[in-house]
Amino acid sequence: MFLRKPIITSTESYSKQINRLKNEIENADAIVIGAGAGMSASAGFSYDGERFEKHFADFHQEYGITDMYSGGFYPYHSLEEYWAWWSRHIWINRYDVWVGKPYTALLQLVKDKDYFILTTNVDHQFQLAGFDKKRLFYTQGDYGLWQCSKPCHDKTYDNEETVRLMVAEQKELKIPTELIPQCPVCGAPMAMNLRCDSTFVQDKGWYEAASRYDKFIRRHKGKRILFLELGVGANTPAIIKYPFWQLTIENPKAIYACINQDIIDLPSELKKQTIMINDNIHNVLSSLEKLL
C-alpha cells in the first residue's frame, strides 16, 4: 500500500533530530520499540567478516560458506553436519555472548517509561540486558528453542544443555550421531524454532506475547505514542515498519522515529510525525543516554 505513494526523506540536522527524539522519549505516554537485525549488528554481533572467520573458518574452507546467515540454509549432507553448524551458531549468538551496549543503553532510556518491544531478532539480547520479559514479543522465534521439524505439535523445547554437548564433542564438522535431537512425540528430527517457512511453531508463549502486544497497542490508542524503530531493514517490513507507519498515520499524537544506517524512504503522510536519524544505533542511543 505504501509503495505507490510519494515518499519523503528528512532534511533536518542531526542534532535537531536527536533533540526531538530526546523530547519524545521524555514526554511520550508510551513507547513502542521495533528492533531488527541492525540493533544487534550495532552491538558488534555481525554475521560476516572477522567474526564469521573467527568461528567458522573450517566451514568456509569445507563448504565455501561466507557468512552465518547463508550457512543456516546450506544443504548439508547429514544431520551430524547440520547440527555441528547450528550448535556452534547457537552457542556464539545465544549463550557464549556478552550483552550488547546498545541494549543496555536503550534499557536506561526506557526503563521508567511504559514501553513494549516488538522484535524480529532471535538472539535473546533484550532479556540478557534486563528488559521485562512480559514486555517483549519475539515474532520470529528464538535461537534457544527447538521444535519438531514436521511439526507434529505446537510445543518448543529449551536446547542449551544439548547445544553445549554438541559444541564440546563435535569433530571434523560433525556431532556424534547420538546427539541428534529427535521429537519426543513422533521421533522426527528436531528443527530450529525460527520462522523461515510454514512449519514455524507458534507456541503458547508466542501467543501470550502477541496478546500482550495487541492489548498494549489498544490500551494506548489515541495517546502520545513514540514508535521507535531500530535497525529494521527491508527484508520483512510487514512485521514492524509498515505497521508502525500505519499506526502513526492513524494517530495525530504519535511520532515515528527511525534510527538506521540504511534509511528507507517513507510515505509523505508521515512527514510531520517523523524523526529520521541516519547513524549507527549504538552512537545515537549513547548520545541520548548522556542527554537524558
Side-chain angles (χ1 to χ4, degrees):
M1 60 182 293
F2 293 109
L3 298 181
R4 299 189 185 95
K5 299 182 179 182
I7 55 179
I8 62 98
T9 54
S10 174
T11 58
E12 288 187 328
S13 69
Y14 178 85
S15 60
K16 186 174 181 178
Q17 295 280 37
I18 288 285
N19 285 318
R20 283 187 63 203
L21 182 52
K22 169 184 174 291
N23 181 64
E24 290 302 324
I25 292 173
E26 289 179 321
N27 296 291
D29 295 320
I31 300 175
V32 184
I33 298 163
M39 181 71 172
S40 286
S42 74
F45 305 128
S46 60
Y47 277 21
D48 55 11
E50 183 178 347
R51 187 166 180 258
F52 171 79
E53 288 296 330
K54 177 181 178 181
H55 296 286
F56 293 99
D58 49 354
F59 278 88
H60 171 67
Q61 182 176 357
E62 180 68 21
Y63 305 109
I65 298 170
T66 57
D67 63 85
M68 292 186 222
Y69 181 79
S70 60
F73 294 94
Y74 188 87
Y76 299 99
H77 301 300
S78 67
L79 287 173
E80 286 85 353
E81 293 169 285
Y82 174 87
W83 284 114
W85 165 274
W86 269 110
S87 61
R88 200 183 304 179
H89 183 111
I90 297 166
W91 179 250
I92 68 168
N93 289 298
R94 176 67 164 76
Y95 298 121
D96 186 29
V97 67
W98 65 94
V99 179
K101 289 183 179 179
Y103 289 91
T104 56
L106 179 63
L107 179 61
Q108 292 305 309
L109 292 174
V110 304
K111 65 180 182 179
D112 296 323
K113 303 293 295 185
D114 193 4
Y115 73 85
F116 203 100
I117 296 168
L118 176 69
T119 182
T120 54
N121 294 347
V122 295
D123 55 14
H124 206 65
Q125 277 289 312
F126 281 106
Q127 283 178 251
L128 287 176
F131 286 87
D132 183 356
K133 182 179 179 180
K134 293 189 179 298
R135 293 173 179 265
L136 294 170
F137 180 20
Y138 289 92
T139 65
Q140 306 297 78
D142 188 328
Y143 279 147
L145 298 176
W146 285 338
Q147 64 170 72
C148 176
S149 59
K150 285 190 174 180
C152 72
H153 64 298
D154 60 0
K155 185 178 178 180
T156 57
Y157 299 85
D158 183 88
N159 62 28
E160 182 174 3
E161 182 178 353
T162 305
V163 165
R164 286 180 178 272
L165 289 173
M166 288 178 172
V167 171
E169 298 187 21
Q170 62 181 253
K171 296 178 181 178
E172 299 179 351
L173 307 182
K174 295 180 181 180
I175 64 162
T177 301
E178 60 269 22
L179 290 181
I180 295 174
Q182 296 179 321
C183 174
V185 177
C186 72
M190 295 293 267
M192 297 298 299
N193 181 232
L194 303 175
R195 189 188 300 277
C196 57
D197 57 32
S198 61
T199 64
F200 175 70
V201 166
Q202 297 176 174
D203 63 7
K204 180 181 178 182
W206 191 97
Y207 284 106
E208 289 175 347
S211 177
R212 288 193 295 269
Y213 176 66
D214 181 64
K215 289 177 181 178
F216 186 91
I217 295 295
R218 287 190 282 111
R219 186 168 72 249
H220 295 92
K221 185 176 181 180
K223 295 183 179 180
R224 184 171 179 174
I225 304 176
L226 171 62
F227 291 96
L228 178 57
E229 182 188 297
L230 303 170
V232 176
N235 288 337
T236 53
I239 297 174
I240 295 174
K241 188 177 294 293
Y242 290 171
F244 276 21
W245 289 0
Q246 190 63 47
L247 288 166
T248 302
I249 290 170
E250 293 171 355
N251 180 1
K253 295 181 181 179
I255 291 291
Y256 166 74
C258 176
I259 305 174
N260 204 321
Q261 288 186 296
D262 298 311
I263 294 292
I264 296 176
D265 292 328
L266 59 150
S268 58
E269 297 98 313
L270 279 173
K271 185 174 183 179
K272 295 181 180 180
Q273 295 172 266
T274 298
I275 300 171
M276 303 284 278
I277 302 178
N278 182 205
D279 195 7
N280 181 280
I281 296 169
H282 172 54
N283 295 341
V284 176
L285 296 181
S286 295
S287 297
L288 287 167
E289 187 180 10
K290 293 175 182 177
L291 288 173
L292 292 169

